[in-house]
Amino acid sequence: MDSEPTVTPPRHLALVGLMGAGKTAVGASVAADLGRRHVDLDRAVTQLAGRSVGVIFHESGEQAFRDLEEQALGLQMDAVDPVVLSTGGGVLGRETNRDALARGATVVWLRAAPETLAARVGDLSSRPLLADGDPVEVLRRLDIERTPAYEAAADLVVDTDGLDISTVGALVLDALPATDGAVQ
């Protein structure tokens, strides 16, 4: 019985890391350089829900947001054409999300110190997890909680402290393996 050879499609590129790491800005830059569509997962969630992230958290809670995030991630991972995906900081909290990213994406962890992240986040009203407490302390706690998942999921790590968007984008592109389909 003859079978056709299977062709591995080019992989998606997913950026992970805490809020303020630069996932959205770097993702847009890298997508433009690669000629790919850029998807911000939080925006995909808001489009799916018809409500902002803050409203989802306030009205339905974090669990409802995470359910929508999982659904939005699945939709993006099913896309035929490879995308550059800027995820939310907590996307790796669910095993289904970790599995989906491991199967279909090259995962790049944009890493930075909590002090750097706090200086970058800007308007705290759009950051439900930072609403209650000192942003640096909250980010330190999140860093401790989420680092093991980032380490386990990351194919590549790029430190972003003290770097601008274009420099981080160039580092991401330079780090990509030629075999992942990202640099065709």
Side-chain angles (χ1 to χ4, degrees), residues 98-173:
R98 293 189 302 270
D99 291 345
L101 288 168
R103 281 192 313 274
T106 297
V107 178
V108 179
W109 176 17
L110 299 183
R111 182 171 60 187
E115 295 78 12
T116 299
L117 300 169
R120 290 179 181 166
V121 293
D123 179 16
L124 297 181
S125 68
S126 66
R127 309 287 187 160
L129 294 177
L130 296 181
D132 300 320
D134 175 53
V136 174
E137 290 306 315
V138 172
L139 287 161
R140 277 192 188 119
R141 180 183 50 78
L142 290 172
D143 186 47
I144 290 166
E145 290 172 7
R146 294 178 178 175
T147 287
Y150 294 147
E151 286 175 340
D155 297 301
L156 306 166
V157 179
V158 175
D159 288 311
T160 70
D161 288 304
L163 302 177
D164 62 24
I165 293 162
S166 61
T167 302
V168 174
L171 290 171
V172 169
L173 290 170

Side-chain angles (χ1 to χ4, degrees), residues 39-58:
V39 176
D40 178 278
L41 193 58
D42 283 347
R43 284 191 195 125
V45 168
T46 62
Q47 290 172 342
L48 190 63
R51 303 179 289 165
S52 72
V53 171
V55 169
I56 295 167
F57 266 76
H58 177 73

